[in-house]
Every structure is written in structure tokens, then in C-alpha cells.
Amino acid sequence: MIAKFLKSAAKPPDFPPDTGREVAVVGRSNSGKSSAINTILGRRGLARVSKTPGRTQLINFFDLGSGRRLVDLPGYGFAKVSPEMRDRWRTLIGAYFEDRSSLVGLIITVDIRRGILELDEAMIEWAEALGIPILILASKSDKLSRGAARAQVHAMDRKVSDGASVLAFSAPRREGVREAREQLELWLGK
Ligand SMILES: Nc1nc2c(ncn2[C@@H]2O[C@H](COP(=O)(O)OP(=O)(O)OP(=O)(O)O)[C@@H](O)[C@H]2O)c(=O)[nH]1
Ligand SMILES: [Mg+2]
């Protein structure tokens, strides 16, 4: 899968044409979205990885060829964000989700140490209400022991409905990368 940066969008008119198929990645700020995108696509510097949470405020579209795209959505749950920023996030993501016919799947990154929190649950419910299939990446699995990581994945799995699956994921260890790629190819086509 050869990926290249397509464009950034701050408002719906800037979205690329709603044709073909795309998969979006969302999650709490700092939960490892950009790292997951880079690792899954095998391109180190494609999506920006930040040590400063809440950096990515735009929707970034990546072109995977043959009308397929991967979309890096701005994160939620950043503590220092103002109510105005939060409203802008909701408006932008709402406009994206509720009117994007080409969206065929959603990847949600959840820090395995935190588990599924309130905002993740709201995100999951929102996507489910719109009928968008979900893959949850239990990210940064290298931060827990094998046993603790497995237990946490089970706990997270029990929390979500059958429409969503949970996969242990680590960018540095490359855990879950093959499975995530397989899901992506199932959604987008080869
Ligand atoms: N140990 C470990 N660290 C990770 C992993 N994935 C991401 N990180 C680190 O977590 C921090 C945030 O990663 P990002 O990929 O930028 O997270 P993000 O969700 O895109 O963050 P924002 O766009 O700022 O909301 C960085 O310091 C990464 O190096 C992982 O699998 N394991
Ligand atoms: Mg990011």
C-alpha cells in the first residue's frame, strides 16, 4: 500500500471529493493516532507524531491509490482545550461523519493503560449509530506486560458491542500491525 499526503482540511469545502472509499482514524489526543497511521502504512514521517498533545487540529487526508484514502482526524479529550475549540471539533467531525458516503470504517486508538473512557464511548456510540464499523487499537501495548495487556484487551472488548473489535497495538514493537493492515484492506479493497 503506497501512501502519500493528499491534503489538510479545516472545513468541509476543503474535503477531497466524496468518492471511492476511506477509513478514518480518531482517538483521544496523544493516544497514538499518528504513530499508528505511520506504522500501518509503513511510512515513518507521513503523519506528524507529537509530544505536545492536541497538535493536530486539521483533518489530514492520505491517498492510498485506486480511490482509497486514510484520514487522520483531530483528537478529542485534550485537557487544555477551550469550550470554543471543543465546539469547533464537534462541528468539524460532525460535518465529516454525518455526510461522508465514502467512509467505510473507523479506527479508534485507545491508550491501553487508560482503557475506554467516557469520550471514547461517546465516539463509539456515535459511529455505531451511523452504522460505521469500528476497529479499536489498544495502543502503546508495549507499556504493559504481556499478561496485563491481554487482560486489558479483554476488559475493553467486554465494554464494546459486537460491531467493534479490539486489537492490541504497539508502534515500536509492531504488534497488531499485520492485523490492522488486513482490516484496512478488507474495508478499502486491495
Ligand atoms: N511506547 C509507545 N509510545 C507510543 C506509541 N504510539 C505513540 N506513542 C507515543 O505517544 C505520543 C503521542 O503519539 P502520537 O502518534 O503523536 O499521538 P496522536 O494521537 O496522533 O496525538 P495528537 O495528534 O497530538 O492528538 C508520542 O510521544 C509517541 O511517540 C506506542 O505504540 N508505544
Ligand atoms: Mg496526531
Side-chain angles (χ1 to χ4, degrees), residues 31 110-113 137-150 152-153 156 167-177:
S31 61
V110 175
D111 188 320
I112 197 166
R113 296 165 297 180
L137 297 183
S139 62
K140 312 191 189 184
S141 64
D142 55 284
K143 295 280 192 183
L144 294 181
S145 70
R146 289 249 168 240
R150 200 173 309 131
Q152 182 66 331
V153 167
M156 288 166 67
L167 175 68
F169 190 89
S170 164
R173 281 202 194 141
R174 308 188 54 77
E175 185 182 8
V177 175

Side-chain angles (χ1 to χ4, degrees), residues 25-33 36 76 107-121 123-124 134-141 144 152-153 156 159-160 165-170:
V25 185
V26 74
R28 285 187 82 85
S29 139
N30 204 43
S31 61
K33 291 177 298 297
Y76 48 79
I107 294 174
I108 306 180
T109 51
V110 175
D111 188 320
I112 197 166
R113 296 165 297 180
R114 291 176 161 242
I116 294 166
L117 302 177
E118 216 174 305
L119 290 173
D120 303 310
E121 258 169 17
M123 192 74 242
I124 292 165
I134 301 165
L135 171 66
I136 296 169
L137 297 183
S139 62
K140 312 191 189 184
S141 64
L144 294 181
Q152 182 66 331
V153 167
M156 288 166 67
K159 253 190 150 176
V160 300
S165 54
V166 182
L167 175 68
F169 190 89
S170 164

Side-chain angles (χ1 to χ4, degrees), residues 38-101:
N38 290 338
T39 308
I40 291 167
L41 298 181
R43 285 278 310 273
R44 209 163 277 250
L46 195 63
R48 207 169 294 155
V49 173
S50 63
K51 293 223 183 329
T52 325
R55 265 280 199 56
T56 321
Q57 303 292 355
L58 300 166
I59 298 184
N60 294 309
F61 293 86
F62 300 97
D63 189 355
L64 304 180
S66 312
R68 303 171 306 169
R69 290 176 303 277
L70 194 68
V71 185
D72 188 4
L73 297 173
Y76 48 79
F78 181 45
K80 284 180 203 151
V81 89
S82 66
E84 292 74 33
M85 288 277 289
R86 207 165 293 151
D87 281 351
R88 273 197 1 228
W89 182 89
R90 230 197 169 279
T91 304
L92 181 63
I93 302 298
Y96 173 76
F97 270 129
E98 293 180 11
D99 192 33
R100 197 70 181 164
S101 313

Side-chain angles (χ1 to χ4, degrees), residues 5-11 14-15 58-61:
F5 176 75
L6 187 61
K7 71 186 299 192
S8 292
K11 50 187 191 312
D14 299 333
F15 296 169
L58 300 166
I59 298 184
N60 294 309
F61 293 86

